Amino acid sequence: MSSINSFTVADYLLTRLHQLGLRKVFQVPGDYVANFMDALEQFNGIEAVGDLTELGAGYAADGYARLTGIGAVSVQFGVGTFSVLNAIAGSYVERNPVVVITASPSTGNRKTIKETGVLFHHSTGDLLADSKVFANVTVAAEVLSDPSDARQKIDKALTLAITFRRPIYLEAWQDVWGLACEKPEGELKALPLISEEGALKAMLADSLKLLNSARQPLVLLGVEINRFGLQDAVLDLLKASGLPYSTTSLAKTVISENEGIFVGTYADGASFPATVEYIEKADCVLALGVIFTDDYLTMLSKQFDQMIVVNNDETSRLGHAYYHQLYLADFILQLTDEIKKSSLYPRQNSALPLLPPQPQITPALLQQQLSYQNFFDLFYGYLLQHQLQDNISLILGESSSLYMSARLYGLPQDSFIADAAWGSLGHETGCVTGIAYASDKRAMAIAGDGGFMMMCQCLSTISRHQLNSVVFVISNKVYAIEQSFVDICAFAKGGHFAPFDLLPTWDYLSLAKAFSVEGYRVQNGEELLQALEHIMTQKDKPALVEVVIQSQDLAPAMAGLVKSITGHTVEQCAIPT
């Protein structure tokens, strides 16, 4: 509690968060929010984790929410909230309930402002500016100005967060966090999402008609399966139907890739060619909980009429027919019941895609200079060889490596984390802190050097708390993913990168020393293997690994994606001599 004799508005929020399973609040301090921070320091059961930047704290809270179901970040008004906005926008897009906690000028301050017109620090002059902005990327943006209704506003906002798996914004006037209020009654529960009976019945009938007549039906799983706890329901559906399935990049490992008939992660041309070919031939795609980004435009343009799309945004469709107020859980459970009654299921699948064999570490591979392909072959081959897949959380951000991960398979449930829909550079490095606190697995991030340079100070937080984590930086000195779409000919012999895609040269070993983490620089397979062997013996010692790759090494997954989207390949480039 914030004091021996009182229970405050801050205590009320913390109690509610604790009831929902929160155990960490990631924070950057500020004077306005001091009453909340004081309450947090004295609250039994939730720990404050300091970060050096608001964006890093936001990414950490986002990562924490992905594994625990709820996250929280506390920052200063104005300068802090606007800095954390990017992370919260990503949480909104990717269905992560993160609670943003802040405070603005006090009751007394506001009287002074009214009397003198003074501009208080970190304010735009509009004291509602922050809440107005956050209203666009949250399901509730509340300003607590009076303890008499603070409890109601907090409960309403938190209920919306856990119901729709989206962030909320809670701002209190500076003094209000420290004012007394009554304790919570009972516990909060998500609102029931109940489908409209007629819409559900109609879509089930139409969906079964398409599924039953399809020659090569496929299930495509999205991230909402994880966010709404529907993994067991999906496994039951896959078992009853016998249908093969894929996942989007964002939803990779939403269920174990060793369960059911997994045909590979689908990310358009970035995926295994066999996966792409199989999915493009599907004459019925049952998309459950999928967030469709422009990585899926090929599917949407060519297979729109053959798609059954259901998620929790209240608008589902079959081809061009739309069904309103229809929710995932109801649809999956009732579809499974209907399939179990049908003699057509489980389906017998022919011509399933033949995925390439899992990578193995060979003497020849160890002698090669590192490239995107052999880095992933060695890295994942090492995990497989030592059966470490169950012991790590693999974190990928917006980079060429994200698309290379579409060519991994055999990962266990909830072992892969990616900012694959929002796509904010640097998310993976900030996310490490939250993931490491949310799980006893080793957090391993693979970052592009462009994204890492944005968030390198997160290493200080990782080091300060001695988190069980490793950050691999693919060091090719360019924004390779951006250049791939600007002009893929830069990767041809004699090609030139756009000036804006060139990065500075960093001394990563010195950087590791400055942040007091173990540092490694690897250029070939043997050096990478030695680094991995050493890292695996150094539990609870965070590490930074610079993976040196040539600038013109184009990740095969990126080459496939660019070809699919633009039709361009490196081989088509004619570079003047």
Side-chain angles (χ1 to χ4, degrees):
M1 306 304 172
S2 58
S3 71
I4 295 175
N5 298 316
S6 66
F7 186 91
T8 67
V9 173
D11 292 323
Y12 186 93
L13 173 59
L14 290 166
T15 302
R16 284 302 198 200
L17 290 172
H18 190 269
Q19 289 174 344
L20 294 174
L22 188 86
R23 299 295 180 265
K24 308 290 179 185
V25 173
F26 302 92
Q27 72 174 21
V28 175
D31 60 331
Y32 289 137
V33 77
N35 281 332
F36 176 81
M37 293 187 299
D38 286 342
L40 175 58
E41 286 297 321
Q42 298 178 52
F43 189 86
N44 185 23
I46 300 180
E47 178 187 5
V49 180
D51 209 311
L52 296 180
T53 72
E54 291 89 353
L55 185 55
Y59 285 153
D62 175 83
Y64 187 86
R66 288 169 189 255
L67 296 187
T68 66
I70 189 78
V73 57
S74 169
V75 294
Q76 176 74 318
F77 180 68
V79 291
T81 52
F82 289 154
S83 291
V84 83
L85 179 64
N86 179 23
I88 302 308
S91 300
Y92 182 81
V93 169
E94 298 187 353
R95 317 297 196 259
N96 294 309
V98 176
V99 182
V100 181
I101 303 163
T102 188
S104 53
S106 68
T107 305
N109 294 152
R110 290 165 189 265
K111 182 180 179 182
T112 302
I113 292 169
K114 187 175 181 180
E115 292 172 347
T116 67
V118 65
L119 180 69
F120 267 73
H121 57 290
H122 308 323
S123 171
T124 65
D126 178 359
L127 294 179
L128 292 176
D130 298 47
S131 60
K132 290 176 183 176
V133 169
F134 275 86
N136 297 283
V137 292
T138 60
V139 289
E142 297 286 355
V143 178
L144 312 179
S145 58
D146 190 324
S148 65
D149 63 359
R151 296 195 315 157
Q152 179 184 357
K153 288 183 176 180
I154 289 170
D155 283 357
K156 179 183 177 182
L158 287 174
T159 299
L160 291 173
I162 62 176
T163 298
F164 297 106
R165 318 311 297 165
R166 302 264 196 166
I168 60 171
Y169 173 85
L170 294 176
E171 170 196 324
W173 293 5
Q174 182 176 2
D175 49 324
V176 170
W177 280 129
L179 296 179
C181 76
E182 296 180 9
K183 295 183 179 181
E185 297 177 359
E187 296 188 0
L188 300 179
K189 294 183 180 180
L191 299 172
L193 297 177
I194 302 173
S195 300
E196 198 278 318
E197 187 175 348
L200 179 59
K201 184 177 180 180
M203 188 163 192
L204 279 170
D206 294 343
S207 298
L208 282 166
K209 187 181 299 183
L210 181 58
L211 276 170
N212 293 345
S213 63
R215 175 186 51 82
Q216 187 172 304
L218 171 87
V219 179
L220 180 65
L221 298 179
V223 76
E224 287 190 347
I225 300 302
N226 167 283
R227 302 295 193 254
F228 290 92
L230 297 172
Q231 293 96 326
D232 289 344
V234 161
L235 286 169
D236 194 25
L237 171 63
L238 293 175
K239 181 180 179 181
S241 67
L243 295 176
Y245 78 96
S246 178
T247 68
T248 63
S249 297
L250 180 61
K252 187 173 178 64
T253 73
V254 68
I255 62 173
S256 170
E257 295 177 345
N258 298 304
E259 295 276 5
I261 305 169
F262 182 58
V263 299
T265 300
Y266 181 59
D268 206 331
S271 302
F272 286 126
T275 298
V276 175
E277 181 181 6
Y278 184 83
I279 290 177
E280 287 182 347
K281 290 180 179 177
D283 53 352
C284 176
V285 177
L286 176 59
L288 301 174
V290 175
I291 300 170
F292 284 106
T293 68
D294 49 1
D295 282 344
Y296 299 91
L297 281 177
T298 299
M299 172 180 278
L300 292 170
S301 62
K302 295 181 178 180
Q303 294 168 282
F304 195 90
D305 290 338
Q306 289 77 45
M307 295 178 69
I308 303 165
V309 180
V310 184
N311 50 35
N312 277 344
D313 67 359
E314 295 192 0
T315 301
S316 299
R317 68 174 183 86
L318 193 160
H320 290 271
Y322 287 83
Y323 307 77
H324 300 280
Q325 198 178 323
L326 192 152
Y327 297 103
L328 261 177
D330 292 337
F331 183 81
I332 293 171
L333 293 172
Q334 292 204 28
L335 178 63
T336 303
D337 287 342
E338 293 299 320
I339 282 174
K340 287 178 177 179
K341 298 174 187 176
S342 173
S343 60
L344 298 175
Y345 300 92
R347 294 285 292 262
Q348 300 300 312
N349 301 285
S350 59
L352 288 168
L354 182 63
L355 300 183
Q358 294 284 25
Q360 294 184 345
I361 298 175
T362 64
L365 196 59
L366 292 176
Q367 297 307 310
Q368 295 175 9
Q369 292 296 301
L370 289 173
S371 64
Y372 276 105
Q373 185 63 62
N374 60 29
F375 167 75
F376 275 91
D377 285 346
L378 283 162
F379 174 76
Y380 195 51
Y382 182 87
L383 297 182
L384 293 173
Q385 179 181 323
H386 295 277
Q387 298 181 329
L388 295 172
Q389 311 96 289
D390 290 327
N391 300 326
I392 69 161
S393 293
L394 184 58
I395 310 164
L396 275 293
E398 181 74 2
S399 68
S400 298
S401 293
L402 171 62
Y403 292 98
M404 286 298 292
S405 67
R407 301 188 176 196
L408 306 179
Y409 66 95
L411 286 164
Q413 181 173 310
D414 297 333
S415 62
F416 182 86
I417 297 95
D419 187 48
W422 181 240
S424 183
L425 288 177
H427 173 273
E428 67 287 336
T429 305
C431 188
V432 167
T433 300
I435 295 296
Y437 272 117
S439 170
D440 58 2
K441 295 181 179 181
R442 190 161 213 168
M444 287 190 163
I446 301 175
D449 45 2
F452 175 77
M453 288 177 179
M454 295 181 180
M455 298 305 299
C456 67
Q457 59 269 55
C458 292
L459 280 181
S460 180
T461 304
I462 293 167
S463 172
R464 178 184 183 184
H465 299 287
Q466 285 297 288
L467 301 179
N468 187 22
S469 55
V470 184
V471 178
F472 296 86
V473 178
I474 306 299
S475 179
N476 58 0
K477 301 181 181 180
V478 292
Y479 289 117
I481 186 172
E482 210 272 336
Q483 180 65 59
S484 299
F485 290 108
V486 169
D487 180 12
I488 201 171
C489 290
F491 295 93
K493 186 176 180 180
H496 297 282
F497 285 80
F500 48 78
D501 282 331
L502 300 176
L503 291 168
T505 298
W506 277 20
D507 184 342
Y508 287 94
L509 291 179
S510 294
L511 189 69
K513 185 177 180 180
F515 286 126
S516 299
V517 300
E518 297 287 319
Y520 304 84
R521 186 173 194 266
V522 297
Q523 302 180 78
N524 58 45
E526 185 65 43
E527 291 176 353
L528 175 59
L529 181 63
Q530 290 174 1
L532 288 169
E533 293 281 6
H534 192 258
I535 286 168
M536 292 307 175
T537 66
Q538 302 292 305
K539 186 176 180 180
D540 297 327
K541 286 188 177 181
L544 174 67
V545 184
E546 179 190 8
V547 180
V548 179
I549 289 179
Q550 295 299 311
S551 297
Q552 288 187 301
D553 180 64
L554 178 63
M558 284 304 305
L561 183 64
V562 173
K563 180 181 179 181
S564 176
I565 293 175
T566 69
H568 298 156
T569 66
V570 171
E571 291 72 25
Q572 295 171 337
C573 299
I575 306 297
T577 57

